[in-house]
């Protein structure tokens, strides 16, 4: 897995929003990479910066009020942050697809499904009109929609939620991008539909070799889907590793807390879930030290003052926690 | 769709009947009656009352009126000698409608453009100017707008005729005067609606597709933002096309506007009823067209109406 070539690298990304209340430091020095054909999970609770990070990749956050303070996003050797308008549009059209959280509101209610898919090819001169329609119908079949000719002519409100999310995936995939970013793609769907959509994404990854960035707050989704995981907290990456390492050799207290707070089938009736007490840090004035220190039951004096260094536990496994520091061994 | 329009037409006829009935009895409740001029002798006044059927029971008069209405006859005016209400509407409505259409074209086109520009350049100078126009337009009464236009363009700079309605250059000032309020309203609503739509998730989807800003605005934003504008246009169109008392008086245009007001002051029963029925049916028609337009713009409405 680790031998796979990197196709997207995010380096020291810092992204903030200027608001009337002050500057919100949404993404604070985030680095990770995405490799060819993998499913990378980004997990964290609401407001930890995972969506903003993902939207930074396509520069979908409104700028202003948002702005990049630092960092680079490298795709095929090119920095997305330095792209000109035209290049950026091209990048969005061809290289990266994006599936949003709520399929109910993410499709234009006044446009037919077919037109919304075909629109992706609007600025491309290398495909003819009949090819475009053929591609649109094919992608609809590929995402598991039956009776495609009819669906092609329908409007979004005539479809169910699960079907709309399939359409969103179709839109994201139609130009055969090398990465698709799914921002909580199943949060607004019911559980059976969720399973179908996740299976579909997995199957599409196998068939097309597309890398998937899967943003979620649901560790169940992570366990089912991902090869590698990035755990975010307070605008920072607190732990990364392959799926086995995250679940079985959990290093960061936050990740441990997340794991303890999910229900499991093998639990006893008398077992209770352990929530993480407290609330995430205020990103208007984020703490100097570890963002999790205030909620961490193993916090030490140093945690309040200094942001932990990266500790590398294996080739893939990295965490930012003072407990992993040499001097803290044995605590 | 046809079934839907049919249903709406039935509802329209019912509301029209209700309108006629209410107005018919209401005008009789007004103090005074049409034939009170001091010039009329008792005998003449009685003859007139007999001629118009005032000596019959009210309910008989009502059904007589309905019967005449079904033949398209609004009856004689009780004030203007030898003129039927149909004549008066026939002579004055073309002027009002002509002026109204010009004003509407101006108000809708300029209003939409201002609203869109304003929303696209939110917080910039152009937005400020557009908002200012909108505030002035909605808060300044039309007799002031009309008078100012006449003063500056007609008298001070002598560019355009001050009044009357004799050719294209005569139509410009009253059209602007009549359009101003609607223009301001359209631009205000369009701006607000554009700003709301731009926050929608599907706009983000469109950006993620790599579409150009122009395409996103034209295809995704405007079409979805225009609905609230259509809503207000129904009653506005009816009101503007059937003439307005103030603008028509100021610019000495022989339109319908003044007859509304005068008919009430004169206790001219047939005129009041005729005008009300005419305006009422026009209003109902405009609202029907608006409802149909909804379906054209927004496919979700089409399904609901089946």
């Amino acid at each position: 897995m680790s031998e796979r070539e990197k196709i997207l690298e995010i380096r020291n990304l810092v992204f903030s929003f200027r608001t009337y209340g002050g500057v919100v430091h949404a993404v604070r020095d985030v680095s990770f990479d995405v490799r060819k054909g993998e499913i990378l999970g980004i997990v964290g609770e609401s407001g930890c910066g995972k969506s903003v990070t993902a939207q930074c990749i396509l520069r979908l956050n409104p700028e202003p009020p948002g702005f990049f303070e630092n960092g680079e996003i490298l795709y095929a050797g090119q920095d997305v942050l330095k792209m000109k308008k035209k290049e950026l549009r091209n990048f969005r059209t061809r290289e990266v697809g994006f599936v949003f959280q709520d399929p109910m509101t993410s499709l234009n209610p006044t446009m037919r499904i077919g037109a919304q898919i075909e629109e992706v090819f609007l600025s491309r001169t290398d495909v003819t009109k009949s090819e475009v329609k053929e591609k649109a119908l094919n992608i609809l079949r590929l995402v598991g929609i039956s009776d495609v000719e009819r669906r092609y002519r329908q409007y979004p409100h005539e479809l169910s939620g699960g079907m709309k999310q399939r359409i969103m995936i179709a839109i994201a995939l139609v130009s055969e991008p090398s990465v698709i970013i799914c921002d909580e793609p199943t949060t607004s769907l019911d559980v059976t539909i969720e399973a179908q959509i996740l299976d579909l994404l997995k199957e599409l990854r196998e068939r097309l070799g597309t890398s998937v960035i899967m943003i979620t707050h649901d560790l169940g989704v992570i366990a089912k889907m991902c090869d590698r995981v990035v755990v975010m907290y307070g605008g920072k990456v607190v732990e990364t590793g392959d799926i086995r390492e995250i679940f079985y050799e959990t290093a960061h207290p936050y990740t441990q807390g997340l794991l303890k707070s999910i229900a499991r089938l093998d639990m006893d009736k008398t077992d209770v879930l352990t929530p993480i007490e407290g609330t995430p840090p205020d990103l208007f004035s984020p703490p100097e030290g570890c963002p999790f220190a205030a909620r961490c039951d193993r916090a030490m004096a140093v945690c309040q003052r200094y942001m932990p260094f990266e500790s590398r536990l294996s080739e893939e496994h990295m965490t930012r926690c003072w407990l992993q520091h040499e001097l803290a061994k044995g605590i | 769709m046809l079934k839907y329009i049919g249903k709406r037409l039935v509802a329209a006829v019912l509301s029209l009947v209700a309108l006629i009935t209410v107005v018919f009895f209401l005008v009789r409740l007004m103090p005074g009656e049409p034939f009170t001029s001091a010039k009329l002798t008792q005998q003449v006044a009685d003859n007139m009352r007999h001629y118009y059927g005032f000596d019959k029971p009210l309910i008989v008069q009502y059904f007589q009126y309905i019967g005449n209405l079904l033949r398209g006859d609004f009856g004689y005016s009780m004030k203007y000698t030898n003129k039927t209400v149909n004549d008066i509407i026939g002579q004055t409505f073309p002027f009002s409608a002509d002026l109204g259409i010009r004003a509407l074209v101006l108000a809708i086109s300029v209003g939409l453009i201002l609203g869109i520009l304003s929303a696209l350049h939110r917080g910039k100078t152009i937005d400020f100017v557009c908002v200012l126009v909108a505030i002035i337009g909605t808060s300044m009464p039309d007799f002031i707008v009309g008078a100012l236009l006449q003063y500056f363009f007609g008298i001070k700079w002598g560019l355009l005729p001050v009044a009357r309605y004799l050719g294209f250059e005569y139509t410009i000032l009253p059209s602007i005067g009549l359009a101003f309020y609607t223009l301001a309203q359209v631009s205000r609503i369009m701006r607000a609606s554009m700003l709301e739509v731009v926050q929608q998730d599907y706009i983000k989807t469109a950006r993620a597709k790599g579409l150009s800003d122009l395409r996103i605005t034209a295809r995704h934003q405007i079409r979805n933002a225009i609905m609230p504008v259509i809503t207000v246009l129904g009653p506005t169109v009816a009101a503007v096309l059937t003439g307005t008392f103030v603008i028509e008086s100021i610019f000495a245009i022989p339109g319908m506007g003044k007859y509304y007001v005068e008919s009430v002051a004169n206790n001219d029963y047939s005129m009041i009823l005729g005008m009300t029925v005419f305006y009422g049916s026009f209003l109902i028609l405009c609202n029907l067209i608006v409802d149909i337009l909804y379906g054209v713009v927004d496919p979700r409405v089409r399904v609901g109406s089946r």
Side-chain angles (χ1 to χ4, degrees):
Chain A
M1 194 66 67
S2 58
E3 298 311 311
R4 280 181 168 156
E5 83 182 274
K6 296 173 180 177
I7 53 170
L8 190 65
E9 285 181 71
I10 286 120
R11 290 280 159 262
N12 305 103
L13 188 72
V14 182
F15 190 83
S16 309
F17 293 95
R18 264 188 207 97
T19 68
Y20 288 113
V23 176
V24 182
H25 303 274
V27 177
R28 306 188 291 141
D29 195 19
V30 163
S31 302
F32 60 88
D33 49 53
V34 183
R35 296 169 197 165
K36 202 167 166 45
E38 76 169 347
I39 301 185
L40 174 74
I42 301 182
V43 69
E45 62 199 282
S46 306
C48 71
K50 52 192 194 304
S51 271
V52 176
T53 306
Q55 294 194 18
C56 279
I57 297 171
L58 279 185
R59 300 191 57 181
L60 290 177
N61 293 301
E63 304 168 35
F67 62 102
F68 289 93
E69 288 187 59
N70 192 20
E72 45 190 14
I73 296 171
L74 297 172
Y75 180 87
Q78 240 197 323
D79 187 354
V80 178
L81 305 190
K82 295 202 178 83
M83 280 183 183
K84 293 190 188 75
K85 229 176 173 177
K86 188 89 205 245
E87 291 170 324
L88 182 65
R89 275 180 51 201
N90 212 3
F91 174 68
R92 286 170 175 169
T93 304
R94 291 169 185 246
E95 313 296 350
V96 180
F98 207 112
V99 179
F100 292 92
Q101 180 173 346
D102 189 356
M104 303 297 170
T105 55
S106 295
L107 290 165
N108 183 339
T110 61
M111 257 173 106
R112 289 177 203 277
I113 299 300
Q116 300 201 43
I117 298 174
E118 290 178 351
E119 219 180 15
V120 176
F121 292 99
L122 203 71
S123 55
R124 289 177 60 164
T125 46
D126 53 341
V127 229
T128 65
K129 236 181 173 166
S130 57
E131 277 173 3
V132 166
K133 173 151 189 193
E134 204 41 54
K135 272 176 191 279
L137 293 177
N138 278 336
I139 200 78
L140 284 176
R141 283 186 205 107
L142 192 67
V143 297
I145 283 178
S146 55
D147 203 359
V148 289
E149 284 280 357
R150 190 168 124 242
R151 300 301 180 202
Y152 179 88
R153 275 178 279 107
Q154 280 184 319
Y155 287 97
H157 68 273
E158 296 172 273
L159 309 179
S160 67
M163 224 188 288
K164 276 188 228 182
Q165 197 58 302
R166 284 172 195 266
I167 304 287
M168 285 302 295
I169 294 171
I171 291 172
L173 282 176
V174 70
S175 58
E176 295 158 27
S178 36
V179 182
I180 74 168
I181 302 170
C182 303
D183 189 354
E184 308 208 19
T186 54
T187 307
S188 55
L189 302 175
D190 62 54
V191 194
T192 44
I193 307 296
E194 165 167 29
Q196 288 174 18
I197 295 287
L198 294 178
D199 286 340
L200 171 70
L201 283 168
K202 238 178 158 171
E203 185 197 323
L204 290 171
R205 190 270 302 257
E206 302 298 334
R207 281 170 73 169
L208 307 173
T210 317
S211 311
V212 180
I213 302 178
M214 189 80 189
I215 295 161
T216 179
H217 56 254
D218 185 345
L219 283 170
V221 172
I222 296 279
K224 181 177 165 137
M225 299 285 292
C226 300
D227 304 314
R228 284 195 313 131
V229 184
V230 172
V231 183
M232 282 188 74
Y233 187 80
K236 285 188 178 282
V237 175
V238 294
E239 185 167 4
T240 60
D242 71 29
I243 184 81
R244 205 186 44 79
E245 287 164 336
I246 293 291
F247 278 90
Y248 297 108
E249 290 159 30
T250 323
H252 199 281
Y254 176 62
T255 320
Q256 288 164 357
L258 284 181
L259 286 170
K260 271 189 231 154
S261 59
I262 47 173
R264 306 161 63 111
L265 276 179
D266 57 5
M267 276 176 136
D268 224 8
K269 263 188 200 163
T270 50
D271 287 344
V272 281
L273 294 174
T274 322
I276 307 176
E277 297 293 338
T279 50
D282 173 16
L283 293 178
F284 278 108
S285 49
E288 255 174 78
C290 171
F292 191 60
R295 298 169 79 183
C296 180
D297 50 9
R298 297 168 72 192
M300 304 173 288
V302 64
C303 302
Q304 315 282 354
R305 298 279 300 281
Y306 301 101
M307 184 63 208
F309 303 132
E310 290 189 1
S311 308
R312 197 150 283 284
L313 307 174
S314 77
E315 198 185 340
E316 287 298 338
H317 200 178
M318 182 284 287
T319 186
R320 273 166 178 272
C321 178
W322 286 121
L323 288 170
Q324 301 299 331
H325 195 268
E326 276 173 46
L327 298 175
K329 285 277 150 66
I331 294 176
Chain B
M1 194 68 186
L2 274 179
K3 198 177 161 196
Y4 170 66
I5 295 175
K7 259 191 193 164
R8 288 298 314 263
L9 279 176
V10 173
V13 170
L14 288 179
S15 29
L16 206 55
V17 171
L19 175 76
I20 295 165
T21 313
V22 170
V23 176
F24 182 87
F25 291 104
L26 271 183
V27 291
R28 308 289 163 139
L29 289 176
M30 290 197 300
E33 53 149 47
F35 314 112
T36 48
S37 168
K39 287 184 217 154
L40 293 178
T41 63
Q42 185 63 37
Q43 183 60 44
V44 177
D46 283 345
N47 284 347
M48 297 283 264
R49 286 195 194 96
H50 177 72
Y51 176 80
Y52 283 104
F54 288 4
D55 47 359
K56 293 186 190 120
L58 203 53
I59 195 75
V60 178
Q61 293 181 40
Y62 171 70
F63 283 109
Q64 246 171 14
Y65 185 76
I66 297 281
N68 290 339
L69 214 52
L70 287 177
R71 290 192 298 274
D73 181 9
F74 286 126
Y76 276 94
S77 162
M78 297 176 188
K79 169 78 181 172
Y80 300 97
T81 327
N82 272 335
K83 274 194 171 171
T84 64
V85 177
N86 297 51
D87 288 338
I88 293 176
I89 292 178
Q91 282 157 15
T92 58
F93 178 61
F95 285 99
S96 289
D98 182 78
L99 176 64
I101 287 168
R102 287 167 200 275
L104 280 175
V105 170
L106 185 73
I108 295 170
S109 55
V110 178
L112 284 180
I113 291 170
L114 287 188
I116 291 167
L117 281 180
S118 186
L120 291 181
H121 302 276
R122 186 184 190 178
K124 308 266 173 63
T125 319
I126 181 160
D127 181 27
F128 179 74
V129 173
C130 295
V131 171
L132 195 72
V133 169
I135 292 172
I136 295 174
T138 34
S139 51
M140 199 153 71
D142 45 2
F143 55 87
I144 308 248
V145 177
L148 285 177
L149 287 171
Q150 282 176 323
Y151 177 70
F152 285 105
F153 290 93
I155 297 166
K156 200 154 187 204
W157 302 326
L159 296 173
L160 292 163
V162 174
R164 305 186 69 196
Y165 209 69
L166 304 169
F168 177 71
E169 67 269 29
Y170 290 85
T171 67
I172 298 172
L173 289 185
S175 305
I176 296 174
L178 186 56
F180 205 45
Y181 177 78
T182 310
L183 187 155
Q185 224 188 357
V186 167
S187 96
R188 199 170 49 86
I189 294 166
M190 190 63 183
R191 177 180 185 273
S193 180
M194 288 280 286
L195 290 176
E196 196 189 306
V197 167
V198 83
Q199 310 233 350
Q200 298 290 321
D201 289 341
Y202 53 80
I203 299 292
K204 207 165 233 182
T205 307
R207 289 176 59 218
K209 283 179 192 168
L211 303 179
S212 66
D213 292 347
L214 184 69
R215 168 87 184 173
I216 294 173
T217 306
R219 191 68 187 82
H220 293 270
Q221 207 183 344
I222 293 179
R223 171 123 186 220
N224 287 293
I226 213 157
M227 292 290 282
V229 177
I230 295 177
T231 312
V232 296
L233 278 183
T236 307
V237 167
V240 169
L241 286 185
T242 48
T244 49
F245 177 70
V246 176
I247 290 290
E248 286 175 2
S249 306
I250 290 178
F251 289 96
I253 294 162
M256 272 172 72
K258 78 165 184 175
Y259 291 94
Y260 280 113
V261 181
E262 286 186 354
S263 64
V264 178
N266 292 336
N267 267 339
D268 189 345
Y269 294 166
S270 47
M271 195 72 174
I272 298 173
L273 271 165
M275 286 288 179
T276 313
V277 171
F278 185 76
Y279 175 65
S281 9
F282 215 82
L283 185 67
I284 289 167
L285 180 72
C286 286
N287 280 334
L288 181 62
I289 292 172
V290 163
D291 284 347
I292 295 168
L293 270 183
Y294 273 153
V296 175
V297 176
D298 191 337
R300 285 170 296 184
V301 179
R302 250 174 271 168
V303 171
S305 64
R306 256 182 220 148

